[in-house]
Amino acid sequence: MISRRRFLQTGTLAGLTFGAGSLARAATNDACAPLPPSIAALKSWKDQAAPITKEERLARQENARRLMTTNHLDAIVLMEGTSLEYFSGIRWWGGERFFAMVLPAKGAALYVCPAFEEARAREQMVQAPDGEQADLRVWQEHENPYQRVAQGLKDRGIATGTLGLEETIKFVFEDGIAKAAPQVKLTSATPVTAGCRRIKSDHEIALMRLASKVTITVYEAAYGALHAGMTRDELQELISTAYDRMGFPGEASVQVGEFTGVPHGSVTNQIIHEGSVILVDDGCSVEGYVSDITRPFVFGKATDKMKSVFDVVHRAQAAALKTARPGIECQAVDAAARKVITDAGYGPDYKFFPHRLGHGMGMDGHEWPYLVRGNTTLLAPNMTFSDEPGIYIPGDFGIRLEDDMHITENGAELFTPQSPSLEDPFTD
């Protein structure tokens, strides 16, 4: 799991792999130097995470079919990414080669796969509702894979229907489908994919709640390991090691001092000193469901100005939480937090709070819908968002408080407690 902001800060994916590589790194760290006690004390929570089942994916596909009918779509196309995993359990990376799942409103799903990848595909397709009976059509390297899609659509009576494409599909694949099936109308599948994914099940909520608790536990352990002279990179590495010890892939982007005054930070080398504001952001993945949490704290004593800005941001986060409830427009939650910040003198508008209040969350760190001005989407129970107001003072410091928010039947809750202060950032 590499967040967008982390990618922007590093400028490269090198060295940011998880899984076996990060576990090996942690083992090397253990062998070469003792871990700080707060990190060494962490234990795995992996046994607390229950995987999504085949039966749950079948229910998701049936929900998608209902939404296809409502939105006048005959089928949707899913390629590599979280929507493919959401509906099928398949985690795929294919590069320039075409691998896709076509889910029709009526009838069985269709899979199109490079012939040499068939074994890998079938191994993963046991997670899908159709399992070993799936309609899998392969293509050789010299063949046109889009003809397999076109024929599959004809076999299902969709030769002249409407086909929704998942929003992350590249143009080269869209163009290939369009040329192979010219009588099919191509449109967006977002009303179906986002329509399903924006409302979480109780199981999904439980996984996200666990991910948030893991992240706070890791942050608190890292906070206990701070020392003067520590670099930003060293703190990020400690946090990655802490996630390894807890059994989940995770990472953090860290900014120090004046660089906290830029929302997504800087690639500049940064060192922690007495009185430094430190901003730790991002999260982990638990059975495919993510957390995204930001904690600001000070190494040593905070100034009165730092404390004042923290208080404003804290009140803005609380105002958003109090406003959020079913039936309220997404934009109203952003407005509630922004009013607190503007009324405190950190306006007008986007001057010191330059980004939206929050984003939807689930299998992606950022997904539909968004808490932003102009979004009239109504909140509904079991939607999940980040609640992350901030004040950024260029050249001085920035404060952002971010917790993950769950819309309940009657209001909203945070998965983790609000941070009480810069000098005591974690609540027992």
Side-chain angles (χ1 to χ4, degrees):
M1 180 192 68
I2 304 295
S3 70
R4 299 182 206 179
R5 63 189 64 162
R6 183 86 160 98
F7 178 81
L8 290 170
Q9 289 160 7
T10 60
T12 177
L13 293 180
L16 293 178
T17 56
F18 295 115
S22 57
L23 290 171
R25 179 195 62 238
T28 300
N29 288 346
D30 283 340
C32 295
L35 289 171
S38 60
I39 305 294
L42 296 173
K43 304 296 182 183
S44 176
W45 289 10
K46 197 165 181 61
D47 62 352
Q48 299 183 34
I52 299 295
T53 66
K54 186 182 294 189
E55 291 71 26
E56 288 174 287
R57 295 190 183 99
L58 177 59
R60 293 170 177 183
Q61 290 189 10
E62 291 307 311
N63 190 28
R65 289 185 167 102
R66 286 190 290 271
L67 288 174
M68 282 184 235
T69 300
T70 300
N71 290 278
H72 309 292
L73 297 177
D74 295 291
I76 60 172
V77 179
L78 308 169
M79 294 188 65
E80 60 187 77
T82 51
S83 284
L84 175 65
E85 183 180 353
Y86 178 86
F87 288 107
S88 71
I90 297 172
R91 299 181 182 182
W92 196 263
W93 179 88
E96 78 282 5
R97 291 183 174 92
F98 185 81
F99 176 94
M101 172 187 181
V102 181
L103 182 65
K106 298 178 181 179
L110 164 73
Y111 299 84
V112 177
C113 173
F116 79 95
E117 296 274 36
E118 181 175 358
R120 178 162 77 102
R122 290 196 181 279
E123 180 183 43
Q124 292 206 50
M125 287 168 65
V126 298
Q127 305 296 325
D130 37 14
E132 291 83 356
Q133 289 74 45
D135 182 357
L136 175 63
R137 306 189 183 192
V138 301
W139 55 278
Q140 298 293 348
E141 292 280 63
H142 68 284
E143 294 180 316
N144 182 344
Y146 310 109
Q147 293 296 338
R148 301 289 191 275
V149 176
Q151 185 60 52
L153 292 174
K154 288 179 181 177
D155 293 344
R156 286 157 176 77
I158 314 175
T160 59
T162 301
L163 189 63
L165 302 183
E166 199 272 333
E167 64 183 302
T168 63
I169 291 178
K170 297 176 182 177
F171 174 76
V172 65
F173 299 129
E174 177 182 355
D175 188 52
I177 295 171
K179 290 175 178 175
Q183 302 305 313
V184 171
K185 177 184 176 182
L186 300 182
T187 188
S188 172
T190 298
V192 176
T193 54
C196 288
R197 292 178 56 178
R198 69 177 56 181
I199 306 297
K200 272 61 179 183
S201 68
D202 290 344
H203 187 178
E204 291 175 292
I205 294 295
L207 292 173
M208 295 182 69
R209 190 185 303 278
L210 178 57
S212 290
K213 290 181 177 179
V214 169
T215 294
I216 284 295
T217 301
V218 164
Y219 285 4
E220 185 169 10
Y223 178 71
L226 292 177
H227 61 78
M230 177 182 280
T231 68
R232 180 265 302 275
D233 292 346
E234 288 171 341
L235 180 53
Q236 288 177 168
E237 189 71 14
L238 269 183
I239 291 172
S240 293
T241 299
Y243 279 124
D244 289 339
R245 294 186 70 83
M246 296 201 73
F248 301 103
E251 50 130 21
S253 57
V254 174
Q255 301 301 322
V256 180
E258 66 180 289
F259 299 105
T260 63
V262 181
H264 282 175
S266 168
V267 298
T268 304
N269 186 40
Q270 300 166 37
I271 299 175
I272 295 170
H273 301 289
E274 178 73 24
S276 294
V277 174
I278 303 165
L279 204 63
V280 181
D281 187 17
D282 289 326
C284 68
S285 176
V286 172
E287 292 295 335
Y289 287 83
V290 303
S291 58
D292 188 5
I293 294 174
T294 305
R295 280 293 177 267
F297 40 80
V298 172
F299 181 66
K301 296 294 183 182
T303 66
D304 288 344
K305 182 178 181 181
M306 292 173 184
K307 292 177 182 178
S308 175
V309 171
F310 178 92
D311 177 67
V312 174
V313 175
H314 192 279
R315 288 190 287 111
Q317 188 188 44
L321 179 65
K322 183 178 180 180
T323 300
R325 61 186 182 276
I328 294 294
E329 292 181 350
C330 284
Q331 64 178 350
V333 187
D334 177 280
R338 200 166 300 278
K339 183 178 187 304
V340 172
I341 290 174
T342 300
D343 288 351
Y346 291 97
D349 208 20
Y350 289 100
K351 183 174 182 180
F352 291 100
F353 178 19
H355 55 77
R356 66 195 172 206
L357 175 74
H359 49 81
M361 296 180 58
M363 296 184 74
D364 288 315
H366 290 211
E367 61 182 49
W368 299 95
Y370 298 93
L371 302 178
V372 64
R373 181 183 304 163
N375 188 357
T376 59
T377 300
L378 300 181
L379 300 185
N382 277 12
M383 285 184 172
T384 49
F385 300 91
S386 67
D387 178 358
E388 51 176 310
I391 292 174
Y392 309 90
I393 306 171
D396 197 353
F397 67 89
I399 300 293
R400 178 170 65 253
L401 281 170
E402 179 182 16
D403 290 278
D404 301 336
M405 180 170 65
H406 165 220
I407 307 303
T408 65
E409 290 292 338
N410 300 308
E413 62 163 349
L414 300 179
F415 288 143
T416 43
Q418 280 188 285
S419 179
S421 71
L422 287 172
E423 294 175 352
D424 180 21
F426 300 98
T427 300
D428 293 331

